Amino acid sequence: MIKASGWPLAPELLTAPDADFNARLEGGLVPLHWACAEGKAGVLKYMLERGANVLDVADGAVSVAGRTPLYMAVHSGSFQVVMMVIDRLKALGAPPPDEALKKRLAHVFRASHADAKNRLQQTLKDWERKAPASAPAPTAKGA
């Protein structure tokens, strides 16, 4: 799966038993951020099952600095990747996205199947209802 995903570096960096999917690699590439940005659902699932941290904010390159895995997933346009990241964020008790990111989500998936749009809307409502009130929300930085 890793070889077929198009991962640009050595597959062993992702398949080693002690792989760190949030480690900064060559040129600042972070495996988790790459999987989110490229819409690689299978690779993302693999990483999440092995402890990848969806709260990790990108640093380094100006083009990605400050962007969250959720922002990168939305940018990929992959509904499946977005929902996997959202589900993990909700499970961690992270705050829901800010209004700008919610609007970006609605815009990106506006032409999706009605079931997908409804699932996204319901997920965001549930997340809002269950969210802790004190933590800052993920933003649409760079949108």
Side-chain angles (χ1 to χ4, degrees), residues 37-114:
E38 295 294 318
K40 303 293 186 178
V43 177
L44 179 60
K45 181 178 185 239
Y46 173 85
M47 291 177 178
L48 293 175
E49 289 172 347
R50 287 158 182 80
N53 179 7
V54 295
L55 297 171
D56 184 24
V57 177
D59 62 4
V62 173
S63 62
V64 297
R67 296 195 179 159
T68 64
L70 179 55
Y71 171 86
M72 293 177 194
V74 172
H75 187 69
S76 79
S78 169
F79 183 77
Q80 186 177 7
V81 169
V82 166
M83 293 307 295
M84 284 195 295
V85 172
I86 287 174
D87 288 345
R88 181 55 57 100
L89 288 167
K90 284 175 47 181
L92 294 172
D98 65 9
E99 288 304 313
L101 189 51
K102 283 192 245 177
K103 286 180 183 176
R104 178 87 175 121
L105 278 160
H107 177 76
V108 168
F109 297 109
R110 71 188 177 283
S112 295
H113 188 277

Side-chain angles (χ1 to χ4, degrees), residues 16-30:
D18 60 345
D20 179 357
F21 305 117
N22 295 88
R24 272 62 180 162
L25 304 172
E26 291 178 22
L29 186 63
V30 176

